[in-house]
Amino acid sequence: MEKSRKGFVPVMLMPFQNDGQVDYQALTKLTELYLAAGASGLFANCLSSEMFELTPAEMLKTIRHVVDLVAGAVPVVATGTFGGPIGQQADFVKQVHDAGTEAVIAITGLLATATQPDAYFNDQMFQLLELTPGIPLGFYECPVPYKRVLAPEQLKAFVETGRVIYHKDTCLDLGQVRQKIAATTSYKFGLYDAYMGHAVDSLKAGAAGLSCIQGNFYPELIVWLCQHYDDASRADEVRAVAQFFVHNMDVMHHVYPIVAKYSLKQRGIDISTFTRRKVGNFSSETRKNIEKLDLDYAQLHKSLAYTG
């Protein structure tokens, strides 16, 4: 993003009350937590926010709430395309931009179906650019409704327009990530990697930062990794942090985002574990796994002699 430094852009959780209504007080606390941890930007209205379970009015209200709280301290991006005719998508993009976002994010899997070729996707995206003049855009390789991964040269063609400034990458392939970075390196553009399996190597290759669900458990630890990934004097610690995330990847993904909300609750954040999205059963075994994860994190945190 144009105003962001290299670092962590959280895919924001959406807090709900136990009756299913959006909990704006908890959303305030959560936003403050991300900022206090050192986030360099915020990704509102994403899959972690349960965006497909929100109404358009709720999306816009929650985005405005976050933008108002941030008050320009860091840029905010938010998803703005949800299928349908391209003109309809463009109209909502304009509303999301008017809510105060730095860039409006397009879901790659909603600009073309899984069976439609890249040429069709490209045509749809160029139409969207034409119908939203002056609005900075970005891409989100969201796994829902299906994951459509952009090729490096395809991404470059859009970045060259000067309008696409952000990309949340979920390809899980370090080789592709490197190619995408190389193809877009001379432009005002940032690639944010979602995959912690190769996070350090992605940052070393030139990624603008990380945008991963693990940051909804321990945002300050992702920020620490973004700050120290290339610090030779702390190489052992960097490896330990990266391995912590790799080792616990399955625990953090199981019945997510319930587990992330529970972890935050254990850390003193007043947030319900209620989710509108059906993600499975939060069993006693899952609860114990998260409690052990939090203990392991506390030991790691202490070993880093963490200074903020």
Side-chain angles (χ1 to χ4, degrees):
M1 288 177 286
E2 292 184 46
K3 290 189 276 187
S4 69
R5 61 191 182 279
K6 177 173 283 206
F8 172 48
V9 177
V11 280
M12 294 186 68
L13 295 170
M14 182 58 65
F16 296 103
Q17 300 172 1
N18 289 330
D19 64 0
Q21 298 302 305
V22 174
D23 186 340
Y24 286 94
Q25 186 174 353
L27 182 57
T28 295
K29 296 297 184 184
L30 187 61
T31 304
E32 291 171 347
L33 173 71
Y34 293 132
L35 293 178
S40 60
L42 297 173
F43 189 166
N45 201 45
C46 55
L47 193 59
S48 289
S49 313
E50 301 177 56
M51 60 183 176
F52 292 114
E53 285 71 43
L54 299 175
T55 67
E58 286 174 324
M59 293 182 194
L60 293 171
K61 186 176 179 180
T62 54
I63 292 167
R64 290 191 192 100
H65 186 84
V66 171
V67 168
D68 289 345
L69 281 170
V70 168
V74 299
V76 178
V77 302
T79 307
T81 62
F82 292 91
I86 200 68
Q88 175 181 310
Q89 297 196 53
D91 287 343
F92 197 64
V93 165
K94 293 173 185 176
Q95 293 180 62
V96 172
H97 181 251
D98 288 344
T101 55
E102 172 85 358
V104 183
I105 308 304
I107 300 173
T108 55
L110 285 174
L111 286 170
T113 67
T115 59
Q116 288 171 323
D118 286 347
Y120 179 84
F121 175 95
N122 294 349
D123 181 67
Q124 289 287 96
M125 186 60 195
F126 281 121
Q127 284 189 58
L128 184 64
L129 287 164
E130 185 176 349
L131 291 170
T132 56
I135 297 177
L137 300 178
F139 290 117
Y140 178 14
E141 292 173 341
C142 183
V144 178
Y146 76 98
K147 186 191 292 189
R148 189 178 190 104
V149 173
L150 301 184
E153 288 303 312
Q154 188 181 19
L155 179 61
K156 180 182 179 182
F158 297 118
V159 173
E160 283 178 333
T161 67
R163 293 276 309 283
V164 173
I165 66 170
Y166 183 96
H167 179 71
K168 176 176 162 65
D169 195 276
T170 68
C171 73
L172 313 183
D173 183 326
L174 182 60
Q176 284 193 51
V177 168
R178 285 174 170 151
Q179 290 175 38
K180 289 176 182 178
I181 292 169
T184 56
T185 189
S186 59
Y187 300 94
K188 192 178 289 186
F189 166 82
L191 181 148
Y192 291 80
D193 206 328
Y195 185 47
M196 289 304 296
H198 58 225
V200 172
D201 288 332
S202 182
L203 290 167
K204 288 182 177 180
L210 303 175
S211 188
C212 50
I213 71 165
Q214 287 82 0
N216 283 324
F217 295 79
Y218 314 114
E220 66 283 350
L221 196 56
I222 302 295
V223 170
W224 185 93
L225 194 62
C226 289
Q227 292 173 339
H228 298 289
Y229 72 93
D230 207 23
D231 183 347
S233 69
R234 307 193 79 161
D236 290 342
E237 294 167 296
V238 168
R239 277 192 292 271
V241 171
Q243 185 56 40
F244 170 79
F245 284 118
V246 171
H247 179 73
N248 292 295
M249 197 170 291
D250 289 344
V251 174
M252 292 180 171
H253 278 82
H254 184 59
V255 298
Y256 176 86
I258 296 174
V259 288
K261 293 180 178 182
Y262 182 72
S263 179
L264 291 174
K265 194 175 185 71
Q266 292 298 104
R267 298 180 65 193
I269 303 299
D270 187 11
I271 183 173
S272 169
T273 58
F274 183 95
T275 59
R276 290 184 184 177
R277 191 176 176 206
K278 304 303 180 186
V279 295
N281 179 41
F282 185 50
S283 66
S284 59
E285 181 181 0
T286 301
R287 182 179 291 104
K288 289 176 182 177
N289 287 339
I290 294 301
E291 290 169 357
K292 182 181 183 304
L293 177 68
D294 288 340
L295 290 173
D296 291 344
Y297 161 75
Q299 291 181 339
L300 176 62
H301 187 277
K302 185 177 180 180
S303 74
L304 296 175
Y306 193 81
T307 57

